Amino acid sequence: MNDAENTPTVPSTASQPLEDRVNNRSQRPSSAAFKAFMASNWAPSAQELPARDAVAEHAATRRRVMSDQFKGERLVVPAGPLKVRSNDSDYRFRPHSGFAHLTGLGLDHEPDAVLVFEPVEEGKGDDGGSHHATLFFRPLAGRDTEQFYADSRSGEFWIGARPTLVEFKARLGLATAHFDELEMAITKNVGAPEIGGISIRLVRKVDENIDALVDTARYNTAKDPENLDMGVLDALDEKLSEALSELRLLKDAWEIEQMKIAVAATVEGFTEVVKSLPRALTHQRGERVVEGAFFARAREEGNELGYDTIAAAGNNATVLHWNRNTGKINAGELLLLDAGVEADSLYTADVTRTLPANGTFTEIQRKVYDAVLDAADAGFAAARPGVKFREIHTAATTVLAERLAEWGLLPVSVEEAISPEGQQHRRWMPHGTSHHLGLDVHDCAQAKRELYLDGVLADGMVFTIEPGLYFKKEDLGIPQEYRGIGIRIEDDILMTADGPVNLSAALPRKADDVESWMAGIYQEADGHIS
């Protein structure tokens, strides 16, 4: 008998599209009987509509501001697509911050969604504005469809339920439409305003497919496509991104509450880190132990980390963006922990504390620590309504320059160092002292200089104050006793009409208080550091 004649035939993949082969691992049946069985006997979806989200009214106000600024123009704000991490595994989805701000949506509900502002007669739009805004996205297919069980990226069987068009409309007070209608919504009547067309502004580099769709529409409707000046169109788009960034400079009441939630969870994360230090000191990659302790709290209390945690011990603390976190933590060293929890709303904290790994500062560590604390306090004292944002940095770095001069480290006078022509003190404090904070850890980054660095502090701004000193082991310009010490103290500040409020004040800042706080955690946990 010929065994080959009795061997089941395996379908060839020679004609199977490459993009489809990723699903081969699922060994999904394709018989009509299976499809019919999968479509039957499912409980109906919930019929009761959800209540209006607390953020909905605030998001509507933000959209009205944008409508007033871009009358007569179509605005396109994508959420962005899923991003592949490895083969058929995606990163957790996070929408573009401008999209999240204008819709109020966080978490991972709406990959590929797009918010479109359609211009209408002035005063006839949403809330008396000049646009009707519509959220376009792909609602979950019904359970009687093949996508339900066959699509591992969007099928409910694989990823769970997603809100429907009517549910999002109820939650957000925002018109919704199926993604299939998006292309027409973006491209219809595009053209130069002088010939009756509608000009588009797009938040670019968020979704390549939307970029291509808008560019094609502009090209196809141009009077002289071959000489179309893309630089002019890019400038239109950049103005929209700039406006979205500047819109976030002042936080509303809902945003401020979200910032407080993120900071509170971050404080809990720092406590968990201190609890983990006894084990971290015995581990070859103690920094990873610390990183993991904070990450666990971030996932328990919020959505995610606001940014990659910096858990830097010893000389690693002098590397400003050290987030490899592969180092050992030795007793007697300092641990610089820069970490923030991102709340479910996507607002993030950004806090840094520098902790003695064994619970006690050495004399030289304390001296440097106190200098950084004095600089932070000077920045806080300078932060008042009506003061320019840049003055925080000036106040903090002046204190640092004075201390460096006292210690004999500055090669010139304090006056020369802090002058624009000098800046020698910046060898040990190379970064800025403050940045805005919110949906992005470095929020409002596309705002104009005159509204950011040269802007005036105002009620509703949230920003950091974070001076530091970083003395690298390799720095032969300083005495040996300073080398390998990196210290940063960072707090999240809310500006009010009455002055600044330290949102992260629950974490101790003074050296004595840090030591007492750490000792209390160990005593409560019946632990110890050696």
Side-chain angles (χ1 to χ4, degrees):
M1 180 180 292
N2 187 340
D3 287 343
E5 294 177 1
N6 295 284
T7 302
T9 301
V10 178
S12 170
T13 60
S15 61
Q16 184 183 23
L18 191 65
E19 62 270 20
D20 289 348
R21 297 180 192 179
V22 69
N23 292 316
N24 290 339
R25 62 174 175 78
S26 300
Q27 303 182 55
R28 187 171 63 242
S30 59
S31 69
F34 170 76
K35 293 179 179 180
F37 185 61
M38 285 299 293
S40 65
N41 296 320
W42 296 107
S45 300
Q47 299 298 311
E48 186 175 346
L49 292 179
R52 184 70 54 90
D53 287 357
V55 69
E57 182 179 344
H58 298 284
T61 299
R62 301 165 198 163
R63 293 194 295 271
R64 173 63 193 273
V65 172
M66 298 304 293
S67 179
D68 289 345
Q69 193 165 344
F70 296 100
K71 295 175 182 178
E73 298 181 272
R74 182 175 295 145
L75 310 181
V76 180
V77 185
L82 290 167
K83 293 180 174 62
V84 175
R85 183 184 187 278
S86 175
N87 194 24
D88 60 339
S89 298
D90 297 315
Y91 286 101
R92 274 193 290 272
F93 178 73
R94 186 192 190 281
H96 183 270
S97 294
F99 174 91
H101 194 232
L102 293 177
T103 61
L105 287 171
L107 291 175
D108 59 350
H109 295 306
E110 60 292 326
D112 299 319
V114 180
L115 181 67
V116 177
F117 287 70
E118 181 63 21
V120 297
E121 183 181 346
E122 186 172 347
K124 301 294 186 181
D126 301 336
D127 297 313
S130 301
H131 292 82
H132 285 312
T134 301
L135 175 64
F136 291 84
F137 69 101
R138 286 192 186 90
L140 201 67
R143 292 171 185 166
D144 58 345
T145 67
E146 188 172 339
Q147 180 189 359
F148 167 60
Y149 59 86
D151 191 329
S152 61
R153 260 193 165 186
S154 60
E156 183 180 350
F157 203 97
W158 294 83
I159 66 169
R162 287 170 59 187
T164 64
L165 293 169
V166 293
E167 286 172 340
F168 263 146
K169 183 176 182 180
R171 282 179 48 188
L172 305 175
L174 177 63
T176 59
H178 197 285
F179 190 83
D180 291 348
E181 302 174 35
L182 177 64
E183 181 174 353
M184 178 61 70
I186 289 178
T187 61
K188 65 181 180 182
N189 301 327
V190 171
E194 58 267 24
I195 58 173
I198 293 177
S199 173
I200 301 180
R201 291 186 193 253
L202 165 69
V203 180
R204 301 190 70 87
K205 298 181 180 179
V206 178
D207 188 322
E208 291 181 355
N209 292 327
I210 304 302
D211 286 3
L213 180 62
V214 170
D215 288 343
T216 300
R218 286 168 165 171
Y219 182 85
N220 288 341
T221 58
K223 287 192 293 186
D224 184 8
E226 298 304 319
N227 294 309
L228 187 64
D229 191 339
M230 295 304 295
V232 172
L233 298 175
D234 287 346
L236 290 177
D237 295 338
E238 288 172 2
K239 189 68 176 177
L240 175 58
S241 293
E242 177 185 273
L244 287 172
S245 218
E246 292 171 357
L247 182 63
R248 304 205 303 270
L249 284 167
L250 298 180
K251 270 60 178 178
D252 58 40
W254 185 86
E255 291 178 285
I256 291 169
E257 185 60 31
Q258 296 305 307
M259 293 301 304
K260 291 178 179 178
I261 290 170
V263 171
T266 299
V267 170
E268 292 184 18
F270 273 73
T271 299
E272 293 302 314
V273 163
V274 175
K275 291 178 182 178
S276 77
L277 276 176
R279 189 168 79 87
L281 284 166
T282 67
H283 199 285
Q284 187 60 32
R285 294 205 292 184
E287 292 175 346
R288 287 285 175 91
V289 174
V290 165
E291 175 190 332
F294 188 86
F295 178 73
R297 180 58 59 174
R299 287 293 285 165
E300 287 177 25
E301 302 296 331
N303 175 50
E304 178 57 279
L305 297 171
Y307 52 95
D308 286 341
T309 297
I310 297 172
N315 195 51
N316 289 343
T318 69
V319 180
L320 297 183
H321 287 167
W322 175 263
N323 54 26
R324 299 175 198 164
N325 301 339
T326 53
K328 184 174 175 58
I329 302 177
N330 298 308
E333 291 182 335
L334 296 175
L335 170 70
L336 188 157
L337 179 66
D338 186 335
V341 172
E342 178 184 83
D344 289 341
S345 60
L346 305 183
Y347 287 80
T348 186
D350 180 10
V351 178
T352 306
R353 289 292 185 269
T354 306
L355 311 174
N358 63 1
T360 305
F361 290 100
T362 66
E363 182 178 351
I364 187 66
Q365 289 170 352
R366 181 181 284 262
K367 181 171 82 168
V368 178
Y369 186 94
D370 286 344
V372 175
L373 181 62
D374 288 345
D377 289 343
F380 190 84
R384 292 291 182 272
V387 172
K388 284 193 174 182
F389 186 79
R390 63 168 58 254
E391 295 304 317
I392 301 173
H393 177 76
T394 300
T397 54
T398 297
V399 169
L400 294 178
E402 292 170 349
R403 296 297 185 276
L404 291 166
E406 290 173 11
W407 303 338
L409 305 185
L410 271 185
V412 296
S413 68
V414 172
E415 291 73 20
E416 185 175 346
I418 64 176
S419 70
E421 297 76 25
Q423 299 292 300
Q424 288 87 345
H425 61 298
R426 298 296 297 279
R427 175 182 177 119
W428 302 288
M429 166 58 182
H431 59 78
T433 304
S434 297
H435 59 78
H436 283 271
L437 184 64
L439 278 167
D440 293 331
V441 64
H442 298 146
D443 209 26
C444 315
Q446 284 75 46
K448 293 187 290 292
R449 184 184 184 91
E450 54 265 35
L451 295 180
Y452 199 129
L453 284 180
D454 293 328
V456 173
L457 297 175
D459 185 10
M461 287 184 173
V462 178
F463 51 87
T464 66
I465 295 179
E466 51 175 309
L469 285 173
Y470 312 93
F471 299 122
K472 294 183 177 294
K473 279 186 178 180
E474 305 80 17
D475 189 348
L476 302 182
I478 58 176
Q480 180 68 42
E481 62 177 342
Y482 291 100
R483 297 178 196 170
I485 294 177
I487 294 173
R488 180 164 65 251
I489 302 170
E490 177 182 20
D491 286 290
D492 298 345
I493 309 301
L494 167 66
M495 182 56 66
T496 73
D498 298 323
V501 175
N502 187 349
L503 298 178
S504 48
L507 278 176
R509 301 169 73 250
K510 295 180 180 179
D512 286 344
D513 294 340
V514 169
E515 291 178 346
S516 297
W517 172 64
M518 294 179 70
I521 292 172
Y522 294 125
Q523 184 176 11
E524 182 179 340
D526 194 27
H528 66 280
I529 296 182
S530 60

